[in-house]
């Protein structure tokens, strides 16, 4: 039978070993006279801890371990992969893509396509949609889709409004062409009029970084937009698959802030227990947050084969998107 769908056959994630609690971060910031507290961070964001990669470790290194875990879970070898997509806003280099660097580290020598997708915290949903379309059109048969970030590199530790919120990590999944419906629908959006509310405005110019290479965010503007668009795009993905919200077994929103996540869950009329939450332990890992949360839910046995999962991303750009899938 002709494969007309794509479905997930393996997941994996990796967190760098250094775990930084709110108490430790409070001490680090205090050395520069910056005040914060575990209470403030937890009550405003739901975050208790995040992980930071060592200075020598790049997004491709985190992605490598997450990818190996996903490939093993799918029962494949690296050279079985014929499309590799990495969603990242913290690439190893300006170019080549982190996907090409990862392809080399994985030992993939079959000449398959490799590319990065840049849609900040929506990056993974964008990457999944691109891979799904490539598989359904017959352009590829086995895709590796990854979100990998070292956001600790772009944090201004003098800006307490942002530096407490983000962390590092990588999540991966293998998507294979199938005659069974896995990815049921994807919906992607962007509105470039909101570029300034969440950005790293610097660029490389004449051999130096021109402008700020730190993350800048208008937290309240991001909060308001995020709550609006997450509900809307989830309903678009449900409508495209002709599925009611009540059929969702697991909601996996981008893990940015527990208050945004809870508001989204409530607007969809879902009980809070049906949402996978990792933001408390991972912080906001941008494009890595959704695939890491998915793998956590799969490996601890909550997400089971056949269940309906809604993934939702939102972030810089402004970008947002959703993917409805059957495991
Ligand atoms: C960032 C965020 C947590 C800030 O919460 P908030 O309730 O909006 O807080 P405000 O920015 O209004 O700041 C309130 C006060 O806390 C202070 N504050 C900010 N960061 C602080 C910190 N880490 N510790 C202690 N106090 C802090 C502010 O200086 C301000 O003090 P002031 O009233 O004396 O000026 C919230 O806006 C948010 O979650 N936004 C969305 C962020 C997000 O999800 N981004 C990623 C999307 S992909």
């Amino acid at each position: 039978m002709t494969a007309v769908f794509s479905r997930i056959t393996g997941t994996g994630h990796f967190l760098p070993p250094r775990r930084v609690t709110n108490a430790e971060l409070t001490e680090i910031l205090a050395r520069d006279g910056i005040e914060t507290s575990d209470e403030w961070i937890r009550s405003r964001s739901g975050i208790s801890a995040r992980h930071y990669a060592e200075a020598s470790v790049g997004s491709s290194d985190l992605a490598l371990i997450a990818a190996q875990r996903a490939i093993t879970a799918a029962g494949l070898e690296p050279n079985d992969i014929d499309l590799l997509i990495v969603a990242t806003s913290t690439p190893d280099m300006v170019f080549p893509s982190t996907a090409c660097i990862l392809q080399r580290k994985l030992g993939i020598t079959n000449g398959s396509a490799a590319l990065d997708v840049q849609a900040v915290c929506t990056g993974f949903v964008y990457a999944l949609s691109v891979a799904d379309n490539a598989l359904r059109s017959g352009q590829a048969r086995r895709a590796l889709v990854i979100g990998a970030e070292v956001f600790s590199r772009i944090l201004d530790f003098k800006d307490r409004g942002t530096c407490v919120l983000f962390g590092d990590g990588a999540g991966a999944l293998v998507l294979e062409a199938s005659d069974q419906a896995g990815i049921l629908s994807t919906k992607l959006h962007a509105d470039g009029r909101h570029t300034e509310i969440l950005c790293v405005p610097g660029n490389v110019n004449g051999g130096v970084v021109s402008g700020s290479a730190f993350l800048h965010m208008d937290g309240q503007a991001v909060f308001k937009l995020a709550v609006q668009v997450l509900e809307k795009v989830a309903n678009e993905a449900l409508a495209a698959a002709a599925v009611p919200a009540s059929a969702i077994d697991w909601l996996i929103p981008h893990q940015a802030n527990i208050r945004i996540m809870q508001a989204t869950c409530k607007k969809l009329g879902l009980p809070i227990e049906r949402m996978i939450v990792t933001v408390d332990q991972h912080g906001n890992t941008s494009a890595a947050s959704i695939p890491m949360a998915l793998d956590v839910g799969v490996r601890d046995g909550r997400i089971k084969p056949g269940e309906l999962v809604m993934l939702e991303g939102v972030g810089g750009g402004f970008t947002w998107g959703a993917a409805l899938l059957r495991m």
Side-chain angles (χ1 to χ4, degrees):
M1 195 175 172
T2 325
V4 285
F5 299 108
S6 75
R7 55 180 284 270
I8 296 171
T9 56
T11 61
H13 83 277
F14 178 68
L15 285 161
R18 185 171 170 225
R19 181 172 181 269
V20 179
T21 62
N22 289 348
E24 187 185 345
L25 191 55
T26 301
E27 270 178 36
I28 294 169
L29 298 188
R31 287 179 213 145
D32 283 323
I34 315 279
E35 262 182 63
T36 189
S37 64
D38 172 52
E39 203 284 322
W40 193 95
I41 302 169
R42 267 191 302 113
S43 64
R44 303 296 171 111
S45 70
I47 297 166
S48 297
R50 74 288 292 142
H51 290 245
Y52 291 158
E54 296 301 321
S56 60
V57 171
S59 288
S60 70
D61 298 306
L62 304 181
L64 175 64
I65 301 174
Q68 286 166 334
R69 290 176 177 168
I71 291 169
T72 301
L76 298 176
E77 298 292 331
N79 272 293
D80 295 328
I81 300 299
D82 60 7
L83 173 64
L84 199 169
I85 308 182
V86 176
T88 186
S89 297
T90 46
D92 286 19
M93 299 183 188
V94 172
F95 71 79
S97 66
T98 303
C100 283
I101 297 168
L102 175 64
Q103 190 199 47
R104 177 182 181 161
K105 288 183 177 173
L106 281 166
I108 297 177
T109 52
N110 59 13
S112 59
L115 69 145
D116 283 5
V117 163
Q118 160 55 294
V120 200
C121 302
T122 319
F124 187 79
V125 175
Y126 267 66
L128 185 64
S129 180
V130 171
D132 173 50
N133 281 299
L135 265 57
R136 284 197 289 113
S137 72
Q139 203 177 19
R141 292 197 59 82
R142 291 184 177 124
L144 182 59
V145 189
I146 296 173
E149 303 282 11
V150 283
F151 255 55
S152 59
R153 304 283 154 75
I154 53 169
L155 297 178
D156 178 357
F157 286 92
K158 295 197 163 37
D159 176 9
R160 65 180 182 174
T162 57
C163 72
V164 300
L165 302 174
F166 296 88
D168 304 341
L173 59 78
V174 173
L175 199 65
E176 294 192 57
S178 172
D179 53 11
Q180 285 168 40
I183 308 298
L184 303 180
S185 64
T186 60
K187 290 283 168 186
L188 305 178
H189 294 285
D191 185 345
R193 288 173 299 177
H194 303 291
T195 303
E196 292 82 12
I197 64 172
L198 183 49
C199 59
V200 178
N203 59 57
V204 178
N205 187 347
V208 292
V209 174
S210 164
S212 168
F214 287 129
L215 182 151
H216 294 258
M217 181 173 74
D218 176 343
Q220 288 183 6
V222 170
F223 196 107
K224 275 184 210 148
L225 263 176
V227 174
Q228 273 172 34
V229 299
L230 285 172
E231 182 200 9
K232 204 161 167 257
V233 77
N235 282 318
E236 288 172 18
L238 287 164
V243 170
S246 57
I248 296 173
D249 292 301
W250 296 104
L251 176 66
I252 308 185
H254 169 46
Q255 311 277 320
N257 182 311
I258 193 70
R259 293 185 296 151
I260 297 175
M261 293 165 60
Q262 284 169 344
T264 305
C265 196
K266 199 171 160 196
K267 283 187 172 187
L268 288 172
L270 295 173
I272 216 81
E273 302 74 41
R274 283 210 233 157
M275 182 165 69
I276 304 284
V277 176
T278 53
V279 69
D280 55 332
Q281 296 303 319
H282 298 177
N284 180 347
T285 57
S286 193
S289 94
I290 293 172
M292 286 210 290
L294 176 66
D295 188 49
V296 165
V298 167
R299 285 181 193 258
D300 70 19
R302 275 179 292 172
I303 302 177
K304 297 181 185 64
E307 286 189 326
L308 197 64
V309 179
M310 171 70 80
L311 311 181
E312 283 196 277
V314 61
F318 211 66
T319 55
W320 64 101
L324 184 68
L325 56 97
R326 198 163 288 288
M327 293 299 291

